Coordinates of all heavy atoms in Angstrom, one line a residue:
T26 N 80.3 63.1 111.4 CA 79.6 63.9 112.4 C 78.9 65.0 111.7 O 79.3 65.5 110.6 CB 80.5 64.4 113.5 OG1 81.5 65.3 112.9 CG2 81.2 63.2 114.2
F27 N 77.9 65.5 112.4 CA 77.1 66.6 111.9 C 76.5 67.4 113.1 O 76.4 66.9 114.2 CB 75.9 66.1 111.0 CG 75.0 65.2 111.7 CD1 73.9 65.7 112.4 CD2 75.3 63.8 111.8 CE1 73.0 64.8 113.1 CE2 74.4 63.0 112.5 CZ 73.3 63.4 113.1
C28 N 76.2 68.7 112.8 CA 75.6 69.5 113.9 C 74.1 69.1 114.0 O 73.4 69.2 113.0 CB 75.7 71.0 113.5 SG 74.8 72.1 114.7
K29 N 73.7 68.8 115.2 CA 72.3 68.4 115.4 C 71.3 69.6 115.3 O 70.1 69.4 115.1 CB 72.1 67.7 116.7 CG 72.8 66.4 116.8 CD 72.4 65.6 118.1 CE 73.0 66.1 119.3 NZ 72.9 65.3 120.5
T30 N 71.8 70.8 115.3 CA 71.0 72.0 115.2 C 70.8 72.4 113.8 O 69.6 72.6 113.3 CB 71.6 73.1 116.1 OG1 71.8 72.7 117.4 CG2 70.7 74.4 116.0
C31 N 71.9 72.6 113.0 CA 71.7 73.1 111.7 C 72.0 72.1 110.6 O 71.7 72.4 109.4 CB 72.6 74.3 111.5 SG 74.4 73.9 111.5
G32 N 72.5 70.9 110.9 CA 72.8 69.9 110.0 C 74.1 69.9 109.2 O 74.4 69.1 108.4
S33 N 74.9 70.9 109.5 CA 76.2 71.0 108.8 C 77.0 69.7 109.0 O 77.1 69.2 110.1 CB 77.0 72.2 109.4 OG 76.4 73.4 109.1
S34 N 77.7 69.3 107.9 CA 78.6 68.2 108.0 C 79.9 68.8 108.8 O 80.3 69.9 108.4 CB 79.1 67.7 106.6 OG 77.9 67.2 105.9
L35 N 80.4 68.1 109.7 CA 81.5 68.6 110.5 C 82.8 67.9 110.2 O 83.7 68.5 109.7 CB 81.2 68.4 112.0 CG 79.9 69.2 112.5 CD1 79.6 68.9 114.0 CD2 80.2 70.7 112.4
F36 N 82.9 66.6 110.6 CA 84.2 65.9 110.4 C 84.0 64.4 110.3 O 83.0 63.9 110.8 CB 85.2 66.3 111.5 CG 84.8 66.1 112.9 CD1 84.9 64.9 113.5 CD2 84.3 67.2 113.6 CE1 84.4 64.7 114.8 CE2 83.8 67.0 114.9 CZ 83.9 65.8 115.5
Y37 N 84.9 63.8 109.7 CA 85.0 62.4 109.5 C 86.1 62.0 110.5 O 87.2 62.6 110.5 CB 85.4 62.1 108.1 CG 85.7 60.7 107.7 CD1 84.7 59.8 107.3 CD2 87.0 60.2 107.8 CE1 85.0 58.5 107.0 CE2 87.3 58.9 107.4 CZ 86.3 58.0 107.0 OH 86.6 56.7 106.7
R38 N 85.9 61.0 111.3 CA 86.9 60.6 112.4 C 87.2 59.1 112.3 O 86.2 58.3 112.2 CB 86.4 61.0 113.8 CG 87.4 60.6 114.8 CD 87.0 61.1 116.2 NE 85.6 61.2 116.5 CZ 85.1 62.2 117.3 NH1 85.8 63.1 117.8 NH2 83.8 62.2 117.5
L39 N 88.4 58.7 112.3 CA 88.8 57.3 112.3 C 88.7 56.8 113.7 O 89.1 57.4 114.7 CB 90.3 57.2 111.8 CG 90.5 57.6 110.4 CD1 92.0 57.7 110.1 CD2 89.8 56.7 109.4
T40 N 88.0 55.7 113.9 CA 87.7 55.1 115.2 C 88.4 53.8 115.5 O 88.4 53.3 116.6 CB 86.2 54.9 115.3 OG1 85.7 54.0 114.3 CG2 85.4 56.2 115.3
A41 N 88.9 53.1 114.5 CA 89.6 51.8 114.7 C 90.9 52.0 115.5 O 91.6 53.0 115.3 CB 89.9 51.2 113.4
P42 N 91.1 51.0 116.4 CA 92.4 51.1 117.1 C 93.6 51.1 116.1 O 93.5 50.4 115.1 CB 92.4 49.8 117.9 CG 90.9 49.4 118.0 CD 90.3 49.9 116.7
G43 N 94.6 51.8 116.5 CA 95.8 51.8 115.6 C 96.4 53.2 115.6 O 95.9 54.1 116.4
P44 N 97.4 53.4 114.8 CA 98.1 54.7 114.8 C 97.3 55.9 114.4 O 97.7 57.1 114.7 CB 99.3 54.5 113.9 CG 98.9 53.4 113.0 CD 98.0 52.5 113.8
H45 N 96.2 55.7 113.7 CA 95.4 56.8 113.2 C 94.1 57.0 113.9 O 93.3 57.9 113.6 CB 95.1 56.6 111.7 CG 96.3 56.6 110.8 ND1 97.0 57.7 110.6 CD2 96.9 55.6 110.2 CE1 98.1 57.4 109.8 NE2 98.0 56.1 109.6
E46 N 93.9 56.2 115.0 CA 92.7 56.4 115.8 C 92.5 57.8 116.3 O 93.4 58.4 116.9 CB 92.7 55.4 117.0 CG 91.4 55.4 117.8 CD 91.4 54.4 118.9 OE1 92.4 53.8 119.2 OE2 90.3 54.3 119.5
G47 N 91.3 58.3 116.1 CA 91.0 59.7 116.6 C 91.4 60.8 115.6 O 91.0 61.9 115.7
D48 N 92.1 60.5 114.5 CA 92.4 61.5 113.5 C 91.1 61.9 112.8 O 90.2 61.1 112.6 CB 93.4 60.9 112.4 CG 94.8 60.7 112.9 OD1 95.1 61.0 114.1 OD2 95.6 60.2 112.1
M49 N 91.1 63.2 112.5 CA 89.8 63.7 111.9 C 90.2 64.4 110.6 O 91.3 64.8 110.3 CB 89.2 64.8 112.8 CG 88.8 64.3 114.2 SD 87.9 65.5 115.1 CE 89.2 66.7 115.4
F50 N 89.1 64.5 109.7 CA 89.2 65.2 108.5 C 88.0 66.2 108.6 O 86.9 65.8 108.4 CB 89.1 64.2 107.3 CG 90.3 63.3 107.3 CD1 90.2 62.1 108.0 CD2 91.4 63.6 106.6 CE1 91.3 61.2 108.1 CE2 92.5 62.7 106.6 CZ 92.5 61.5 107.3
I51 N 88.4 67.4 108.9 CA 87.4 68.5 109.2 C 87.1 69.2 107.9 O 87.9 69.6 107.1 CB 88.0 69.4 110.2 CG1 88.3 68.6 111.5 CG2 87.0 70.6 110.5 CD1 89.1 69.4 112.5
G52 N 85.8 69.5 107.7 CA 85.3 70.1 106.4 C 86.0 71.5 106.3 O 85.9 72.4 107.2
M53 N 86.6 71.7 105.1 CA 87.2 73.0 104.9 C 86.2 74.2 104.9 O 86.5 75.3 105.2 CB 87.9 73.0 103.5 CG 88.7 74.2 103.2 SD 89.6 74.1 101.7 CE 89.9 75.8 101.4
G54 N 85.0 73.9 104.5 CA 83.9 74.9 104.4 C 83.6 75.5 105.8 O 83.0 76.5 105.9
L55 N 84.0 74.8 106.9 CA 83.8 75.3 108.2 C 84.7 76.4 108.7 O 84.5 77.1 109.6 CB 83.9 74.1 109.2 CG 82.9 72.9 109.0 CD1 83.2 71.8 110.0 CD2 81.5 73.3 109.1
L56 N 85.9 76.5 108.0 CA 86.9 77.4 108.4 C 86.4 78.9 108.3 O 85.7 79.2 107.3 CB 88.1 77.3 107.5 CG 89.0 76.1 107.6 CD1 90.1 76.1 106.5 CD2 89.5 75.9 108.9
D57 N 86.6 79.6 109.3 CA 86.2 81.0 109.3 C 87.0 81.8 108.3 O 86.5 82.8 107.7 CB 86.5 81.7 110.7 CG 85.6 81.0 111.8 OD1 84.5 80.5 111.4 OD2 86.0 81.0 112.9
D58 N 88.3 81.4 108.0 CA 89.1 82.1 107.0 C 89.8 81.0 106.2 O 90.9 80.5 106.7 CB 90.0 83.1 107.6 CG 90.9 83.8 106.5 OD1 90.7 83.6 105.3 OD2 91.8 84.5 106.9
P59 N 89.3 80.5 105.1 CA 90.0 79.5 104.3 C 91.1 79.9 103.4 O 91.7 79.1 102.7 CB 88.8 78.9 103.5 CG 87.9 80.0 103.3 CD 88.0 80.9 104.5
N60 N 91.4 81.2 103.4 CA 92.5 81.7 102.6 C 93.8 81.1 102.9 O 94.1 80.9 104.1 CB 92.6 83.2 102.6 CG 91.4 83.9 102.0 OD1 91.0 83.5 100.9 ND2 90.8 84.8 102.7
G61 N 94.6 80.8 101.9 CA 95.9 80.2 102.1 C 96.0 78.7 102.2 O 97.0 78.1 102.4
V62 N 94.8 78.1 102.2 CA 94.8 76.6 102.3 C 94.8 76.1 100.9 O 93.9 76.4 100.0 CB 93.5 76.1 103.0 CG1 93.5 74.6 103.1 CG2 93.5 76.7 104.4
K63 N 95.8 75.2 100.6 CA 96.0 74.7 99.2 C 95.5 73.3 99.0 O 95.7 72.5 99.9 CB 97.5 74.8 98.9 CG 97.8 74.3 97.5 CD 99.3 74.4 97.2 CE 99.5 73.9 95.8 NZ 100.9 73.9 95.5
L64 N 94.8 73.0 97.9 CA 94.4 71.7 97.6 C 95.6 70.9 97.1 O 96.2 71.3 96.2 CB 93.3 71.7 96.5 CG 92.8 70.3 96.0 CD1 92.1 69.6 97.1 CD2 92.0 70.5 94.8
T65 N 95.9 69.8 97.9 CA 97.2 69.1 97.6 C 96.9 67.6 97.2 O 97.8 66.9 96.7 CB 98.1 69.1 98.8 OG1 97.5 68.6 99.9 CG2 98.6 70.5 99.0
E66 N 95.7 67.1 97.6 CA 95.5 65.7 97.4 C 94.0 65.4 97.0 O 93.1 66.1 97.4 CB 95.8 65.0 98.8 CG 95.6 63.5 98.8 CD 96.0 62.9 100.1 OE1 95.3 63.1 101.1 OE2 97.0 62.2 100.2
E67 N 93.8 64.3 96.2 CA 92.5 63.8 95.9 C 92.5 62.4 96.2 O 93.4 61.6 95.8 CB 92.2 64.1 94.4 CG 92.1 65.5 94.0 CD 91.8 65.7 92.6 OE1 90.7 65.3 92.1 OE2 92.6 66.3 91.9
V68 N 91.4 61.9 96.9 CA 91.3 60.5 97.2 C 90.0 59.9 96.6 O 89.1 60.7 96.3 CB 91.3 60.2 98.8 CG1 92.7 60.6 99.3 CG2 90.2 61.0 99.5
F69 N 90.0 58.6 96.5 CA 88.9 57.9 95.8 C 88.7 58.4 94.4 O 87.6 58.6 93.9 CB 87.6 57.9 96.6 CG 87.7 57.1 97.9 CD1 88.2 57.6 99.0 CD2 87.3 55.8 97.8 CE1 88.3 56.8 100.2 CE2 87.4 54.9 98.9 CZ 87.9 55.5 100.1

């Protein structure tokens, strides 16, 4: 997803039926205060 006004990338959302349907991965850069958020995982 993206903002249709400014183009910002917003979130990646799982859509397939199953236990993770609707789960999102929201861009950290969108946080008003990203302090205290630790990088714990790298994928791909």
